[in-house]
Amino acid sequence: MVKRFIRNCLALACLGVSQWSFAEATLNVEGLSGEIQDNVDVYLSAIPEEDYSTSLRFQSRVEESITQALRAMGYYYPTLTFIVNEEEEELNVTVELGQPVLIEELDIKLSGEAKDDPAFQRLLKNTPLKVGARLNHGQYDALKSELRNLALKRGYFEGDFSLARLEVAPELNQAFVRLHYESGLRYRFGPVRISGSQIEEDRVRSVVPFEQGDPYLASDVGQLNQNLSSTDWFSSVYVEPNLEGVGSGNRELPMTIQLAPQSRHQVETGLGVSTDVGVRGKLSWKRPWLNEQGHSFDSSFELSVPEQQVVVGYKIPLEDVLKEYYRIQYGMKYLDNNDTISFESSLGLERHWELDSGWHRTVFIRLLNEDFTQGTQEDRFTMLLPGISYSKTRARGGAMPMWGDKQSITFEYGDEAVLSEARVLRVQGRSAWIRSLGRNHRGLFRVDGSANFTESVFDLPPSLRFFAGGDNNLRGYEYESISPKDSEGKLTGAKYMVTSSLEYQYRIYGNWWLAAFVDYGDAWNDTPEWKTGTGFGIRWASPVGPVRLDLGFALDAEEGTDKYQIHFGLGPEL
């Protein structure tokens, strides 16, 4: 039932005295449902509310609007019955739809090169317009628009309808759809002209996703824009087809790329806070391009109470500049947390590939030197660790995705015969999943596993050992407070660690969510003693990612330690 309420206020002035009377008219439409009712609602909404009444004139307007709405849905001879309730100022309309108009003939023809184009064949196969189906004028108009738009997207710029007609015989309840589309020739990508680039032209051309002579696709033009922007070499990117000289049998469409160099220096500052490390400040300096080959330099300095870190990197793009590159990185880090005091420096060389399957592969070697005190152990270790890693991330829905997952696996190996303190095989893996039900229910599952296959954990520096607990690990426990302990009760770090998290989130309003979670895991050398953390929190989907505030309870906390922790953090969940 559709109900519409209007209050009309009439002001009458007589002998200098204003009198007001109020009239209320209610319109009830019965006998409709689903998309038919929705369409009638749209037509009735075009009548101004102040015109609502129970008069014959208003009834005529309602009848005309409903009749037009029903004809658009294939009902040409509806029966409308009006009943007026004068006391309640109520107008009731009962609608009987009658027999629908059915499609008797579907005469759709394609000519030109689009006739054999699979994209057009799929479009016609999936259209709801079928012989025997109820006529829907909106579906007919939509198919016409889809044919035009698809032709433009796929380079049929001269296409047009030679016949576009919808014939209706209401007395027979029959409709005849006639659409004849002549696509003409399909245009192809012509030569690409580049201007304004400070980078070697071959490097820029490596990101062009098409070759001269390939069939035109608007999606390829969009991909080209995205690729050029992703290089971070340019402050502006403008791609357009050059229509001059097109026609008279010339099917190639030249493409013009206009670029402007990115600024040579970029400086950013940031300030964040989490319960793991407290307030953290960050300063980064980046040079997006250093030379015509597109090499780049980046550096960052991060400062918090327990950690201070400096990292500098140099990137060398290869032939496929977006998918293949070398990276040289040097970093220094000082850590003073719980029972760990460590100063480490590392130098690494990495080779990166973006595979067609979506996986990111990295082959690397790093030289690690660490001077440390871990519990009662004081030492200085050097490790040479070659390795390989694979990672893949998928996400939909912005900074706080409603669907996504991430998989990663890393292998490293060190040997005392080659500059390392001990022989060790390191394996680290993660699997994280985000799924949602509707707009208001969201779930997150994560499992992390790490292992050092070595004789003794004391042969490894602290940065290679494992500690559990904290904002992104086992909530309810202090940051990196879970590991085996030495004879004096101080943390030693672990050979193995497995943690998992299951979280449910419910949207309470706008970008605000409530969350409940259970975390489970441990870090151990010989036998795990599984620990559970549980609690609840609140999430805010900020423009830069989810902001998290949790109250976690440690169900297996040791005597003399806190039974709960407040966790606050900002950053991606995958």
Side-chain angles (χ1 to χ4, degrees):
M1 178 181 294
V2 181
K3 293 188 175 182
R4 303 191 177 280
F5 299 94
I6 296 296
R7 291 181 173 88
N8 294 327
C9 180
L10 302 177
L12 300 177
C14 180
L15 299 176
V17 177
S18 294
Q19 295 181 335
W20 296 83
S21 65
F22 296 89
E24 182 181 86
T26 303
L27 173 63
N28 301 324
V29 180
E30 298 180 344
L32 304 176
S33 63
E35 63 176 4
I36 297 174
Q37 176 176 313
D38 293 340
N39 202 50
V40 168
D41 287 347
V42 171
Y43 274 74
L44 289 175
S45 66
I47 302 177
E49 294 184 350
E50 59 269 19
D51 293 350
Y52 273 51
S53 71
T54 59
S55 67
L56 292 176
R57 182 177 180 180
F58 179 68
Q59 292 180 35
S60 177
R61 294 183 66 181
V62 169
E63 181 175 11
E64 181 181 359
S65 296
I66 294 178
T67 300
Q68 290 178 354
L70 295 178
R71 284 186 177 181
M73 303 298 291
Y75 294 95
Y76 273 66
Y77 291 111
T79 301
L80 278 65
T81 303
F82 289 85
I83 299 177
V84 177
N85 186 333
E86 295 289 356
E87 293 183 0
E88 300 293 334
E89 286 291 325
E90 189 174 69
L91 179 62
N92 300 304
V93 185
T94 302
V95 180
E96 295 181 9
L97 295 174
Q99 293 297 316
V101 172
L102 304 180
I103 298 176
E104 178 69 17
E105 182 179 353
L106 198 60
D107 178 20
I108 302 178
K109 295 180 180 179
L110 292 175
S111 59
E113 292 189 359
K115 179 180 180 181
D116 300 318
D117 191 323
F120 281 85
Q121 294 171 3
R122 286 193 298 269
L123 175 61
L124 296 183
K125 180 181 179 181
N126 296 328
T127 180
L129 294 175
K130 306 290 183 184
V131 173
R134 172 171 55 84
L135 174 64
N136 185 317
H137 287 248
Q139 294 172 354
Y140 167 78
D141 292 333
L143 180 57
K144 286 175 60 179
S145 297
E146 288 168 352
L147 284 168
R148 288 194 182 98
N149 293 338
L150 184 60
L152 293 174
K153 290 178 181 179
R154 297 182 68 80
Y156 300 94
F157 298 121
E158 298 174 354
D160 202 358
F161 288 99
S162 60
L163 177 63
R165 189 163 64 236
L166 175 59
E167 302 171 353
V168 180
E171 65 281 0
L172 300 176
N173 290 323
Q174 293 179 348
F176 306 85
V177 177
R178 308 193 190 281
L179 289 174
H180 295 180
Y181 190 80
E182 296 181 358
S183 69
L185 300 177
R186 185 178 184 182
Y187 280 75
R188 297 180 178 274
F189 286 111
V192 176
R193 299 181 178 89
I194 301 172
S195 64
S197 174
Q198 80 283 15
I199 306 298
E200 287 181 350
E201 187 167 306
D202 288 345
R203 298 275 178 169
V204 178
R205 288 185 180 277
S206 71
V207 306
V208 178
F210 51 81
E211 300 287 342
Q212 183 173 347
D214 287 350
Y216 178 89
L217 281 174
S219 58
D220 281 350
V221 178
Q223 186 64 52
L224 174 57
N225 265 291
Q226 181 177 334
N227 290 350
L228 290 168
S229 298
S230 297
T231 64
D232 205 23
W233 292 333
F234 311 109
S235 61
S236 68
V237 175
Y238 184 65
V239 179
E240 67 172 349
N242 186 356
L243 300 178
E244 295 181 6
V246 174
S248 302
N250 180 16
R251 301 174 60 185
E252 287 199 346
L253 192 63
M255 303 298 296
T256 298
I257 301 176
Q258 298 178 9
L259 305 169
Q262 184 64 272
S263 60
R264 301 202 66 160
H265 300 272
Q266 295 179 345
V267 177
E268 295 181 359
T269 59
L271 185 66
V273 62
S274 71
T275 47
D276 281 352
V277 298
V279 178
R280 179 194 295 271
K282 182 176 182 179
L283 173 66
S284 62
W285 169 45
K286 182 178 181 180
R287 297 192 64 181
W289 59 278
L290 293 168
N291 49 39
E292 293 181 348
Q293 289 76 41
H295 296 192
S296 61
F297 168 84
D298 62 89
S299 63
S300 66
F301 173 64
E302 296 186 26
L303 175 66
S304 65
V305 172
E307 297 179 8
Q308 299 89 50
Q309 181 173 243
V310 177
V311 177
V312 295
Y314 191 92
K315 180 179 177 182
I316 306 172
L318 300 177
E319 185 176 353
D320 189 339
V321 299
L322 289 179
K323 294 185 176 182
E324 298 185 25
Y325 57 92
Y326 283 105
R327 177 175 171 81
I328 303 170
Q329 180 172 295
Y330 177 75
M332 293 187 298
K333 179 179 179 180
Y334 178 78
L335 173 66
D336 185 354
N337 179 62
N338 288 336
D339 299 325
T340 305
I341 299 176
S342 167
F343 178 79
E344 65 176 275
S345 61
S346 62
L347 176 66
L349 173 64
E350 304 168 350
R351 170 68 158 89
H352 294 257
W353 293 264
E354 288 286 350
L355 306 180
D356 293 338
S357 61
W359 286 88
H360 186 114
R361 179 176 65 199
T362 306
V363 175
F364 61 90
I365 184 169
R366 62 173 175 145
L367 179 64
L368 172 67
N369 184 275
E370 190 164 353
D371 191 349
F372 66 91
T373 299
Q374 181 64 56
T376 58
Q377 182 186 9
E378 293 186 28
D379 220 323
R380 180 173 183 171
F381 287 166
T382 297
M383 304 289 292
L384 183 67
L385 299 167
I388 185 171
S389 69
Y390 288 86
S391 65
K392 183 178 182 179
T393 302
R394 304 181 300 170
R396 297 196 297 263
M400 190 169 178
M402 298 296 289
W403 182 96
D405 52 68
K406 181 176 183 177
Q407 323 299 327
S408 66
I409 184 77
T410 301
F411 299 92
E412 288 182 287
Y413 179 75
D415 198 299
E416 53 195 351
V418 189
L419 297 180
S420 291
E421 186 69 24
R423 178 180 297 174
V424 60
L425 173 63
R426 290 170 49 79
V427 182
Q428 296 176 276
R430 159 174 280 212
S431 181
W433 301 78
I434 294 174
R435 293 296 186 266
S436 58
L437 181 63
R439 295 185 64 254
N440 299 323
H441 304 273
R442 190 171 181 267
L444 170 65
F445 172 74
R446 185 187 69 248
V447 60
D448 294 87
S450 304
N452 284 318
F453 296 101
T454 189
E455 184 175 345
S456 172
V457 72
F458 297 103
D459 294 332
L460 301 176
S463 64
L464 301 184
R465 306 178 193 183
F466 303 118
F467 302 82
D471 296 350
N472 299 308
N473 203 294
L474 280 172
R475 286 167 286 186
Y477 300 84
E478 290 186 19
Y479 176 52
E480 295 191 345
S481 64
I482 300 173
S483 94
K485 296 182 178 180
D486 59 22
S487 58
E488 296 186 7
K490 294 185 177 182
L491 302 176
T492 65
K495 286 185 180 181
Y496 314 106
M497 182 174 70
V498 173
T499 61
S500 61
S501 179
L502 181 62
E503 182 170 312
Y504 166 73
Q505 300 171 2
Y506 176 74
R507 188 197 303 268
I508 53 176
Y509 178 76
N511 291 324
W512 292 90
W513 300 70
L514 287 178
F517 60 86
V518 176
D519 296 344
Y520 187 73
D522 192 25
W524 74 96
N525 285 332
D526 299 312
T527 303
E529 298 179 1
W530 301 109
K531 297 172 176 59
T532 302
T534 188
F536 56 89
I538 191 167
R539 306 285 180 268
W540 173 47
S542 77
V544 295
V547 176
R548 303 180 296 274
L549 178 63
D550 289 323
L551 177 61
F553 298 91
L555 302 187
D556 301 292
E558 297 180 351
E559 290 294 331
T561 62
D562 292 334
K563 303 296 184 182
Y564 69 90
Q565 294 286 325
I566 296 176
H567 300 282
F568 178 82
L570 166 65
E573 297 165 306
L574 292 177

